[in-house]
Amino acid sequence: PTRRASRARARESDDARASLSSLDAILSTDADRASSSDGASTRDDAPSDAATPTRAVSRAVDVALDDDVVARVELEVRSATSRLTRATMKSPLGIVFEDVDGDIAVVEFYDESDLGPRGRGIREGDVLRATSAMIPEMRYPKLNVIGGGVGRPGWRRVMYTCASSQDGNLDDVTFDQAMKAIGSNAKAGNYDVELVFERRA
């Protein structure tokens, strides 16, 4: 019985080594196999020249659009040291935006008062990542729907994410569209403008 048990353990050990060898063969790269065949160090012993893929970093912020509507804005940011900041302002904002290497960046203030952008915590170099906007829609009160009446034109408040060099989301609005979205808040009834910025360290 002892000899049979030893043989069984030996077979199990051989099977385990064979499984690990197969797994190594699947996961290893051509370079790993070449270095192993030349007697070079394995990946654990020698530094690799291959670039380590960077992990995407995301940040999220909640924006109250109405008494009962809260939009959650989740964005991929440049690095772990980047953060999202919020600001609520009246239009006109007193901010000069420019397209800087694909980002909608704050480059200057023309309102330096305490109620201006600097007083709201916005800084030069901040990147606009999202803005509130008002979009037209037809509103249908319940009584009108039941009675077969027609709707009335109204507005709905939404958040638009802005184009950025950080990601290639096709749903993001361009620079010109972002400026129009900011202006729509005042045109629809003098609503505050909700802004989300990325601040990069």
Side-chain angles (χ1 to χ4, degrees), residues 15-31:
D15 291 343
R17 280 194 294 271
S19 298
L20 290 174
S21 297
S22 299
L23 185 60
D24 288 338
I26 293 171
L27 297 178
S28 63
T29 63
D30 293 338

Side-chain angles (χ1 to χ4, degrees), residues 23-119:
L23 185 60
D24 288 338
I26 293 171
L27 297 178
S28 63
T29 63
D30 293 338
D32 296 331
R33 287 191 286 271
S35 62
S36 297
S37 63
D38 293 337
S41 300
T42 63
R43 286 168 56 186
D44 293 334
D45 299 328
S48 173
D49 293 334
T52 302
T54 56
R55 180 179 298 176
V57 179
S58 296
R59 296 281 185 266
V61 62
D62 292 330
V63 181
L65 297 177
D66 207 339
D67 292 339
D68 55 352
V69 177
V70 176
R72 184 167 184 80
V73 180
E74 186 169 355
L75 300 165
E76 183 178 319
V77 296
R78 174 168 290 181
S79 67
T81 58
S82 299
R83 64 189 182 95
L84 297 181
T85 62
R86 276 189 53 211
T88 302
M89 300 191 64
K90 290 287 186 183
S91 183
L93 305 180
I95 302 173
V96 178
F97 292 101
E98 283 186 7
D99 187 331
V100 179
D101 298 329
D103 292 323
I104 304 175
V106 176
V107 296
E108 189 180 350
F109 300 135
Y110 57 84
D111 181 356
E112 294 287 353
S113 69
D114 292 340
L115 297 178
R118 199 182 301 278

